[in-house]
Amino acid sequence: MSERKVSVYIATSVDGYIATENDSLDWLFRSEPEGDAGYGEFYDTVDTVIMGRRTYDWVMEQVEGKYPYEDKQSYIYTSRLEESTSDITFTSEKPSTLIDRIKKVDGGTIWLVGGGALINAFLQNNLIDEFIISIAPALIGKGIPLFKNSEMEHNLELTDVRRYGQFAQLHYSIKKAND
C-alpha cells in the first residue's frame, strides 16, 4: 500500500494571494493558461477532496448548485450543523483526526482545495505533503493570502517546474523532520 498524500493544488497571484478580499477570482481568469495547466492529470490522482465552507459556497455559486466533485469523497469544514450526503461529509473535526482516518483507507491523493485559513490549519499541524502552486500573471495588491503569518518553518523541496502559457507552476514537497 502506497502512502497517501495531502496535496494543495492552487493558483495564486504573483504577490501570493488566492482571492481578493471579497473572494473574487476575476484576476485569475484574465489570463488563460495553456491547456488545463495540468489540472486533469492531477485530478485523475485524487479520490478525496477537502475544503472550507467559504470555498464550498463559492464553488457551489459558480456551478449553480451542481457539485463538481461528485465522483470524489468530499469533506467540507464548517461550524454549521449540516446533513451529510453519500458524497459530502460536513465536519468540524480536528484536521489531524480527519487525515488519520482517511489515510487508513487505501486510495489516491487527498486534495486540500482551500481556502487560506484551512490550508494554514493543515500546515500548522504538518498535514500537507506537497504544494502545486500555479502563479498567475497578476499583482492584486491585497486579498486572501495563500500563506498566513506563522510561527512554524517548513523546509520545501522543489520537485518540478512547469510553464503553461503565462502561468508558472511550482511543485514542492514538504520535507518532514525525519527526511
Side-chain angles (χ1 to χ4, degrees):
M1 179 168 84
S2 66
E3 177 72 25
R4 297 181 73 177
K5 62 185 172 188
V6 176
S7 299
V8 175
Y9 179 99
I10 200 162
T12 71
S13 60
V14 171
D15 49 354
Y17 296 104
I18 58 175
T20 64
E21 290 175 314
N22 63 353
D23 297 332
S24 172
L25 296 180
D26 290 346
W27 56 272
L28 178 60
F29 301 118
R30 286 189 199 118
S31 298
E32 288 278 325
E34 189 176 286
D36 70 355
Y39 175 79
E41 178 185 344
F42 171 77
Y43 190 75
D44 287 346
T45 71
V46 172
D47 75 348
T48 305
V49 172
I50 301 172
M51 69 181 80
R53 182 61 198 228
R54 277 177 59 190
T55 302
Y56 173 76
D57 287 345
W58 184 89
V59 166
M60 294 304 284
E61 185 178 300
Q62 300 307 303
V63 297
E64 299 171 358
K66 175 89 168 104
Y67 189 64
Y69 310 117
E70 286 182 340
D71 59 332
K72 314 293 183 191
Q73 182 60 51
S74 296
Y75 296 89
I76 312 302
Y77 269 86
T78 183
S79 56
R80 297 183 219 161
L81 284 176
E82 296 212 34
E83 183 130 353
S84 296
T85 67
S86 60
D87 296 321
I88 300 173
T89 301
F90 293 95
T91 185
S92 60
E93 68 189 303
K94 287 176 39 179
S96 58
T97 303
L98 176 64
I99 294 302
D100 286 346
R101 187 162 41 83
I102 294 171
K103 283 188 170 185
K104 285 182 180 158
V105 178
D106 207 17
T109 300
I110 302 162
W111 179 19
L112 181 57
V113 176
L118 191 60
I119 291 170
N120 188 55
F122 274 66
L123 195 56
Q124 294 299 315
N125 287 284
N126 292 312
L127 298 172
I128 298 172
D129 298 300
E130 72 175 351
F131 283 96
I132 301 171
I133 304 170
S134 294
I135 301 173
L139 293 167
I140 62 174
K142 59 184 176 178
I144 300 168
L146 173 56
F147 299 109
K148 303 207 180 306
N149 289 341
S150 169
E151 299 299 317
M152 295 185 70
E153 290 185 21
H154 296 276
N155 293 316
L156 306 177
E157 179 180 354
L158 183 64
T159 59
D160 197 8
V161 177
R162 298 181 185 179
R163 180 179 178 167
Y164 295 100
Q166 292 297 305
F167 286 71
Q169 190 175 83
L170 307 174
H171 293 230
Y172 288 103
S173 62
I174 295 185
K175 296 175 82 172
K176 305 293 182 180
N178 57 356
D179 285 354

